[in-house]
């Protein structure tokens, strides 16, 4: 089905300015004119400045030599008391931007990526009926898709819709502060939802357990399940009946179902579907504005385990 809808970017000029201020002047002059359209800025030691706009990547004739790169590394940490976190990420308070790095064997930064986070309202509106139905039934939603198709942006707008109904009964588990921003005061876009800041990714599983046990949530919503120690703890707490909506670590539906480390979440044991999945519904993000909804996720899982193509309980939503 094709649904007409509009997306509104409510990112403030101050939020765009906050990321510009993290760049030395010679880089700022290049990125500033097109920052509103920019998705990602790639800064690698001894390599040209690179900027990604959607599927288009442009290399500029400005090489980040050790001196310039060192200045970039310093500027990115400005105002951050403890510098880079254990997960190699930092954010900018009051914004949804994310800055990440990779290091050499000596622990020095050699790759820095700046992802521009936007306060987009309306991305999840074509899926509102699916989301509201999941809330009414008290079930979770899995969100699956490759990088750079807007899964986190979609998840953030799903949180907004869920918070309309659940208010403070919705708790957001913010692994890298991409959903609610890098500040103790969450970004306004998540509405009335409460938020747990994970901090060290290795603590994610334990923080899920504590939120379920101590905060009496009606639902949890989180990003990036499946490549830390979170799965056993989430499965252990599943009988408490708190539905979870989250992105799963996998490029597509087949990879997710075939990933053995995700099997406990999917109700799979020894390659067979023996238990209900943690998620009753799944949304595949095929591309920006193009979704495939699996209204019976367990049936999809069973089909894929049998190497068959799922045909039941599916419908696609495209944005006009």
């Amino acid at each position: 089905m094709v649904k007409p809808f509009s997306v509104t970017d409510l990112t403030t000029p101050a939020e765009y300015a906050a990321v510009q201020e993290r760049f030395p002047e010679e880089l700022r002059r290049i990125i500033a004119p097109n920052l509103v359209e920019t998705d990602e800025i790639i800064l690698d030691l001894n390599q040209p400045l690179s900027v990604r706009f959607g599927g288009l990547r442009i290399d500029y004739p400005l090489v980040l030599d050790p001196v310039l790169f060192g200045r970039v590394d310093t500027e990115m940490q400005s105002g951050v008391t403890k510098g880079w976190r254990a997960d190699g990420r930092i954010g900018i308070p009051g914004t949804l931007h994310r800055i990440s790095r990779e290091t050499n064997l000596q622990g020095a930064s050699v790759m820095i990526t700046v992802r521009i986070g936007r306060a987009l309202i309306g991305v999840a509106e074509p899926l509102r009926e699916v989301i509201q139905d999941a809330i009414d039934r008290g079930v979770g939603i899995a969100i699956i898709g490759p990088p750079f198709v807007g899964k986190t942006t979609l998840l953030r707008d799903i949180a907004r819709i869920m918070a309309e109904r659940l208010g403070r009964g919705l708790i957001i588990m913010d692994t890298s502060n991409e959903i609610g921003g890098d500040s103790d005061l969450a970004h306004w876009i998540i509405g009335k939802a409460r938020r747990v800041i994970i901090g060290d990714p290795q603590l994610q599983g334990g923080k899920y357990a504590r939120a379920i046990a101590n905060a009496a949530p009606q639902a949890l919503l989180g990003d990036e399940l499946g490549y830390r120690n979170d799965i056993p703890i989430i499965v252990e707490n599943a009988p408490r009946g708190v539905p979870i909506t989250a992105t799963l670590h996998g490029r597509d539906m087949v990879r997710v179902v075939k990933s053995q480390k995700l099997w406990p979440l999917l109700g799979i044991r020894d390659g067979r579907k023996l238990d209900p999945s943690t998620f009753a519904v799944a949304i595949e993000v095929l591309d920006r504005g193009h979704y495939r909804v699996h209204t019976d996720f367990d049936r999809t899982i069973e089909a894929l385990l049998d190497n068959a193509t799922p045909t039941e309980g599916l419908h696609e939503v495209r944005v006009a």
Side-chain angles (χ1 to χ4, degrees):
M1 69 182 71
V2 177
K3 292 192 173 185
F5 83 113
S6 60
V7 174
T8 304
D9 184 356
L10 296 180
T11 311
T12 65
E15 290 177 69
Y16 284 119
V19 72
Q20 292 183 46
E21 293 167 0
R22 298 294 176 104
F23 287 89
E25 178 58 31
E26 54 265 63
L27 292 176
R28 193 182 309 164
R29 288 196 300 266
I30 296 173
I31 67 166
N34 300 304
L35 189 59
V36 174
E37 291 81 30
T38 299
D39 290 314
E40 204 167 60
I41 302 166
I42 298 99
L43 306 135
D44 296 344
L45 179 62
N46 290 322
Q47 296 296 322
L49 167 69
S50 185
V51 178
R52 186 175 63 80
F53 308 91
L56 177 66
R57 177 169 166 167
I58 297 176
D59 290 339
Y60 290 87
L62 175 63
V63 174
L64 293 148
D65 61 38
V67 173
L68 179 55
F69 187 86
R71 290 170 57 202
V72 168
D73 192 18
T74 300
E75 292 286 347
M76 291 298 161
Q77 299 176 69
S78 62
V80 181
T81 305
K82 297 182 179 179
W84 298 100
R85 294 197 302 260
D87 62 353
R89 296 178 177 180
I90 54 178
I92 302 175
T95 79
L96 298 171
H97 311 309
R98 190 193 77 189
I99 306 168
S100 61
R101 74 161 180 170
E102 294 297 334
T103 62
N104 61 16
L105 294 177
Q106 290 72 45
S109 300
V110 293
M111 295 169 55
I112 295 175
T113 305
V114 180
R115 183 171 294 181
I116 306 301
R118 295 182 176 83
L120 300 180
I121 298 293
V123 175
E125 285 299 328
L127 301 165
R128 179 177 281 272
E129 292 178 10
V130 174
I131 298 163
Q132 290 181 335
D133 178 67
I135 295 171
D136 291 340
R137 293 194 289 137
V139 299
I141 304 171
I143 299 167
I144 297 163
F148 309 128
V149 293
K151 293 192 303 299
T152 301
T153 301
L154 174 64
L155 185 67
R156 195 183 296 126
D157 207 35
I158 288 174
R160 175 186 63 85
I161 292 174
M162 293 180 70
E164 291 175 2
R165 293 279 299 276
L166 301 177
R168 297 174 67 81
L170 173 65
I171 294 183
I172 293 173
M173 309 300 293
D174 212 347
T175 304
S176 300
N177 294 346
E178 286 193 77
I179 302 174
D182 203 69
S183 176
D184 289 342
L185 180 63
H187 195 280
W188 59 265
I189 197 171
I190 68 171
K192 296 180 180 179
R194 303 171 77 188
R195 180 175 68 140
V196 172
I197 295 176
I198 304 296
D200 183 350
Q202 300 307 317
L203 301 177
Q204 178 159 295
K207 291 210 172 187
Y208 267 86
R210 285 175 56 183
I212 293 171
N214 299 337
Q218 292 174 263
L220 297 178
L221 181 143
D223 205 1
E224 302 179 333
L225 290 189
Y227 64 98
R228 298 182 178 91
N229 65 342
D230 47 11
I231 292 178
I233 296 175
I234 290 172
V235 171
E236 180 182 345
N237 282 273
R240 294 175 182 254
V242 179
I244 298 175
T245 292
T247 58
L248 296 185
H249 192 62
R251 293 183 60 89
D252 55 42
M253 185 65 74
V254 173
R255 285 183 174 90
V256 164
V257 172
K258 298 293 185 179
S259 175
Q260 294 189 26
K261 63 184 177 182
L262 294 177
W263 282 1
L265 285 176
L266 305 181
I268 302 171
R269 286 183 280 153
D270 298 323
R272 293 180 297 164
K273 187 77 169 70
L274 299 176
D275 303 305
S277 171
T278 304
F279 314 94
V281 179
I283 299 171
E284 281 187 273
V285 186
L286 304 176
D287 203 346
R288 294 180 186 271
H290 184 191
Y291 313 110
R292 180 181 294 127
V293 179
H294 300 251
T295 56
D296 188 342
F297 191 27
D298 282 331
R299 185 173 292 180
T300 291
I301 294 169
E302 291 170 355
L304 292 175
L305 286 175
D306 290 337
N307 296 313
T309 301
T311 58
E312 299 183 42
L314 305 179
H315 66 269
E316 293 195 15
V317 177
R318 294 177 183 265
V319 175

